[in-house]
Amino acid sequence: MTFALNRRTVLRGSLGVAGAGTLGALAASGAEGAPQPGPLPDDAVIHGVPTIDPLISQRADPWITKPVGGMYYFTGSVPEYDRLVVRGASTIAGLADAEESVIWRRPTSGKMGGHIWAPELHRIGGKWYIYFAAGDAGEVFRIRTYVMESALDDPRDPAGWTLKGQLVTEWDGFTLDATSFTHRGRQYLVWAQSEPEIAVNTSLYIAEMANPWTFKSKPTRITTPTRSWEIIGYRVNEGPAVLIRDGKVFITFSASATDANYCMGLLTASASDDLLKRASWTKHPDPIFVSNEETSRFGPGHNSFTVAEDGKTDVLVYHARDYKQIVGDPLYDPNRHTRVQKLYWHEDGTPMFGIPVGSGGPIVRLSPSDAPRSFVKHEGDVIRAAHAPHELELTQFRFVAGADGSETIQSVDQPTKFLVVSGTAVSLGTTGTPVTRIAAKGGVTIRVAAGQYLRHRDGQITVATKATVFKLS
């Protein structure tokens, strides 16, 4: 109970989250299900992930750990590319205002005196490790990967950190974006590197590790940029992040130049396969996370994953800009901001990323009680319910509170459009129909006028005198 109250404070009070509407105390007369006293949890609790956006300004290549000792830790690239930073908080939302500690600065000359990129923070064998990429002074793009270690419990303490040295790969070349994970008792590293005699900027490689800074196996190239969405501006596969669930190992990665063309792809392997074999990995043919004009989020990528305070809700962490047009080299545009949003899962066990969502309050999906594996979605401006749709963004809505206590239902991927009622028809339009949510057993009914409610039947969403109970998820 204490956890739930603290979570409500963080997600609703501390951040001033908008869009959590007032819920009535009893189900409407004629609604399916028995009346339920008391209000339901507000949208922030249902959504479970902070909606402050951006979470952290001007921090690219973001990495948020899963909780360690009750603390989340964050690191990422700073616009000056000159130092390594760590901040910590007991909640994801708390990272927004947490004090940032500089745990290392680049030397003024020589090795590692150039660009400092994309640090990642890992807890391995009871110690902290940071993988980061560094160029040399006078040759800032001679990028190689280095490893630092701290035996202290708090990675924010600069006194604990020592340099273990360069991560020596199979050949001496451009390397960056190393990430580590454990699977079935074996420690792996995945990283991006340029390989001699391959005419691309970077491909992704995997190897088993003897310890956090020493390879145990030869590297295996698991993906190289070949598809049209991977080769815009530069031929790039980089920024891998690993997620293991339901018998599968997923690796997201980023592709193309770091402008609005930057996007994310997905590799999948069976958890029982040999991850060091290239044949174990399948690349999704299309990007899974791309720029979105409607929400004004551009160049989403270089992601990581964490979990919400409930310990089970997966959270996507990524950077993106608020604008498309960039003056000069996008690498030196400082406004790649850290953002977080909920990661959803399809019933077939595959992750659903949807779109980089815009600003606003918590996001909900509505499932009719008579079809609990279906979700209300829009197809163009038509509103219906469909069984387990893969198009996550079409099923995401926000309840936006009005001054009179009513709400309008806003589309997340079409934020200028709202649910509109005309007679018994329900569609999307620019002027939303005010609605009132009323608590009912298992969810809410949605009243659109006196004695009139949203009704689901056989995939159709209409207005009727008998209400359907919708579960908010």
Side-chain angles (χ1 to χ4, degrees):
M1 180 62 70
T2 301
F3 176 81
L5 291 174
N6 288 342
R7 183 188 180 104
R8 183 187 297 262
T9 300
V10 168
L11 294 181
R12 186 180 184 186
S14 298
L15 294 179
V17 172
T22 302
L23 301 181
L26 297 176
S29 175
E32 298 171 355
Q36 175 179 310
L40 294 176
D42 64 28
D43 291 345
V45 173
I46 293 168
H47 182 54
V49 175
T51 57
I52 182 173
D53 188 274
L55 181 70
I56 304 173
S57 295
Q58 296 193 341
R59 293 294 180 265
D61 313 320
W63 178 267
I64 298 177
T65 67
K66 293 181 180 179
V68 177
M71 293 288 289
Y72 291 93
Y73 295 102
F74 165 86
T75 188
S77 296
V78 301
E80 298 82 6
Y81 300 143
D82 65 348
R83 62 194 186 273
L84 299 178
V85 298
V86 178
R87 62 176 72 183
S90 60
T91 64
I92 296 173
L95 292 170
D97 299 317
E99 183 178 355
E100 195 167 76
S101 174
V102 177
I103 61 100
W104 181 84
R105 288 188 183 273
R106 69 185 180 191
T108 57
S109 62
K111 203 170 187 179
M112 297 187 293
H115 288 329
I116 307 301
W117 286 347
E120 285 197 8
L121 183 62
H122 294 267
R123 187 75 168 170
I124 304 172
K127 294 183 179 180
W128 288 104
Y129 293 89
I130 285 184
Y131 295 95
F132 67 101
D136 297 341
E139 199 174 353
V140 296
F141 289 104
R142 189 184 183 277
I143 300 293
R144 301 296 186 269
T145 298
Y146 298 87
V147 187
M148 296 187 71
E149 179 188 76
S150 175
L152 298 183
D153 290 337
D154 191 341
R156 295 170 294 182
D157 188 343
W161 288 102
T162 58
L163 182 68
K164 299 299 293 184
Q166 182 179 333
L167 190 71
V168 180
T169 57
E170 184 76 3
W171 53 89
D172 185 34
F174 186 94
T175 68
L176 71 165
D177 297 352
T179 192
S180 184
F181 71 100
T182 301
H183 180 56
R184 297 192 170 182
R186 302 168 72 181
Q187 193 76 35
Y188 295 91
L189 195 80
V190 183
W191 72 98
Q193 182 159 13
S194 62
E195 181 179 347
E197 302 178 4
I198 297 181
V200 301
N201 296 96
T202 54
S203 304
L204 289 188
Y205 300 81
I206 190 172
E208 187 178 357
M209 303 300 287
N211 58 49
W213 62 92
T214 308
F215 289 107
K216 182 177 182 179
S217 73
K218 296 286 187 179
T220 300
R221 180 174 10 100
I222 54 176
T223 176
T224 196
T226 57
R227 301 182 186 275
S228 60
W229 50 272
E230 300 175 291
I231 60 174
I232 303 173
Y234 294 97
R235 296 175 179 268
V236 167
N237 286 168
E238 65 181 19
V242 179
L243 194 60
I244 302 173
R245 177 171 167 142
D246 295 337
K248 295 179 182 178
V249 181
F250 301 98
I251 296 180
T252 54
F253 63 93
S254 297
S256 289
T258 57
D259 54 16
N261 295 300
Y262 206 52
C263 62
M264 284 167 47
L266 182 68
L267 299 172
T268 305
S270 170
S272 60
D273 285 350
D274 184 349
L275 302 185
L276 299 180
K277 290 185 177 180
R278 188 182 310 174
S280 298
W281 296 95
T282 300
K283 182 188 293 187
H284 195 281
D286 302 309
I288 48 84
F289 204 56
V290 301
S291 293
N292 190 279
E293 295 272 359
E294 297 295 334
T295 61
S296 295
R297 297 294 179 264
F298 300 97
H302 202 119
N303 77 288
S304 59
F305 298 104
T306 186
V307 294
E309 288 92 301
D310 63 6
K312 60 184 180 180
T313 300
D314 292 302
V315 180
L316 172 66
V317 185
Y318 65 99
H319 71 231
R321 294 184 179 89
D322 296 334
Y323 49 86
K324 185 174 184 179
Q325 299 303 321
I326 299 170
V327 177
D329 188 335
L331 186 63
Y332 300 107
D333 180 282
N335 294 316
R336 292 183 293 174
H337 305 314
T338 296
R339 308 174 194 275
V340 297
Q341 62 188 62
K342 189 173 182 176
L343 181 70
Y344 295 78
W345 293 89
H346 195 267
E347 64 180 20
D348 65 7
T350 55
M352 296 196 299
F353 294 85
I355 61 170
V357 300
S359 300
I363 294 166
V364 296
R365 304 172 82 201
L366 296 92
S367 294
S369 58
D370 58 338
R373 294 165 69 186
S374 292
F375 293 91
V376 174
K377 63 177 289 195
H378 73 88
E379 296 174 350
D381 288 343
V382 175
I383 298 294
R384 60 184 299 267
H387 175 82
H390 276 89
E391 308 92 344
L392 170 65
E393 64 275 16
L394 305 185
T395 70
Q396 293 178 303
F397 299 91
R398 288 184 170 108
F399 283 87
V400 181
D404 62 353
S406 67
E407 301 175 301
T408 51
I409 303 176
Q410 180 188 37
S411 168
V412 167
D413 75 317
Q414 298 287 326
T416 62
K417 293 188 175 181
F418 302 80
L419 254 65
V420 176
V421 171
S422 178
T424 61
V426 183
S427 62
L428 280 188
T430 56
T431 304
T433 297
V435 303
T436 301
R437 283 183 283 175
I438 304 173
K441 184 179 180 180
V444 298
T445 61
I446 300 175
R447 185 173 63 207
V448 301
Q452 300 289 303
Y453 304 87
L454 292 188
R455 171 76 171 167
H456 168 258
R457 186 171 183 179
D458 298 329
Q460 303 302 308
I461 303 296
T462 59
V463 173
T465 56
K466 187 176 182 181
T468 293
V469 174
F470 292 92
K471 178 184 177 182
L472 304 180
S473 64

